[in-house]
Amino acid sequence: MKTYKKVLLATVLAAPGLMLAAGSAQAQAVAIADPEAAVANSKAFAAANTQIRAQYKVQLDQADARRAAIQKEIEPLAAQLDLNHDGTVSQEELQAGSQAKSPAFISWQQKQQAAQAELGKLEGPAARAQAYAVEQITGKLQAAVQSAIAKRGVTVLLRPAAVMFVQPTSDLTPVITTELDAAVPTVSITPPANWQPGQQQAAGAAAAAPAAGAPAAPVKKPQGR
């Protein structure tokens, strides 16, 4: 589960407008918040992960075993690509192998691609279930952020990466998590058959946008006297 948790969160939480910088130049309070951490720390997300690990235990165990076996398979190839023999293969070394079309690089690349496909099939159902759980929680994230802002009297809200120093009391992330726990205590890990990640955000954006190609309302010309 750890291998794709951050990726899923980053993908699902990429919708615009989740973190707002509000207010005017005369800000009364400035705070930071990490929406990904707020979702990851929620009780619903933890419960969903527990259910997923139990429901898909066989597939996830198989994926872990295959990942370890694949790692052993590619270690000799990686050693050939490790030109400076420091125990790691850098991007520059991979690029050199690619440009030289070395047999070691070609075999390494083929095994990597095959491994991704194989592991993707094994982990796919669990990843899909987790993405569905995350999307249900993030559906309440905007409201949780606004509620936390209102309760703390925050005028400007920033992501942690946007500031150099902040007092711990200015971190709104735990408050947002508390709001999420209240708004969505549990989620389902069984997505509908036709569900795809990102549908909630797409549906919300479509509902907010005017209908494409809709004719504009006629403007009446002023009547002369």
Side-chain angles (χ1 to χ4, degrees):
M1 296 296 292
K2 293 181 180 178
T3 56
Y4 50 81
K5 176 173 133 179
K6 292 184 179 179
V7 175
L8 286 173
L9 282 172
T11 302
V12 176
L13 294 173
L18 289 178
M19 299 302 294
L20 304 176
S24 63
Q26 296 179 346
Q28 294 181 350
V30 179
I32 63 168
D34 184 341
E36 290 88 351
V39 171
N41 293 334
S42 67
K43 294 177 181 177
F45 184 69
N49 272 339
T50 299
Q51 294 177 54
I52 291 169
R53 280 193 294 267
Q55 183 166 329
Y56 298 99
K57 184 179 187 305
V58 174
Q59 296 94 320
L60 293 174
D61 287 348
Q62 288 176 347
D64 287 341
R66 281 299 297 143
R67 187 176 289 105
I70 292 167
Q71 182 63 31
K72 289 184 178 180
E73 291 175 11
I74 65 174
E75 280 178 358
L77 299 172
Q80 295 179 51
L81 296 171
D82 183 13
L83 301 179
N84 60 4
H85 306 291
D86 64 349
T88 60
V89 181
S90 67
Q91 192 63 38
E92 291 75 13
E93 289 169 330
L94 287 176
Q95 188 173 0
S98 175
Q99 291 175 345
K101 296 183 180 179
S102 69
F105 175 80
I106 294 173
S107 296
W108 177 87
Q109 188 177 47
Q110 290 173 343
K111 285 186 177 292
Q112 287 281 358
Q113 292 172 347
Q116 288 176 0
E118 183 180 359
L119 294 175
K121 288 181 180 179
L122 290 171
E123 294 179 332
R128 189 167 184 269
Q130 190 186 61
Y132 183 57
V134 170
E135 190 166 289
Q136 292 170 79
I137 301 170
T138 56
K140 303 292 185 180
L141 181 58
Q142 183 65 53
V145 170
Q146 295 295 343
S147 179
I149 287 173
K151 288 182 177 179
R152 289 293 183 92
V154 171
T155 308
V156 177
L157 184 61
L158 302 171
R159 285 182 177 269
V163 297
M164 292 183 63
F165 171 77
V166 67
Q167 292 288 353
T169 53
S170 297
D171 187 355
L172 216 60
T173 305
V175 183
I176 295 173
T177 297
T178 300
E179 295 293 329
L180 285 173
D181 289 341
V184 53
T186 60
V187 292
S188 170
I189 63 168
T190 307
N194 60 346
W195 175 86
Q196 294 297 328
Q199 280 184 339
Q200 277 191 351
Q201 288 89 340
V219 178
K220 294 184 179 180
K221 295 183 179 179
Q223 300 272 343
R225 295 179 66 104

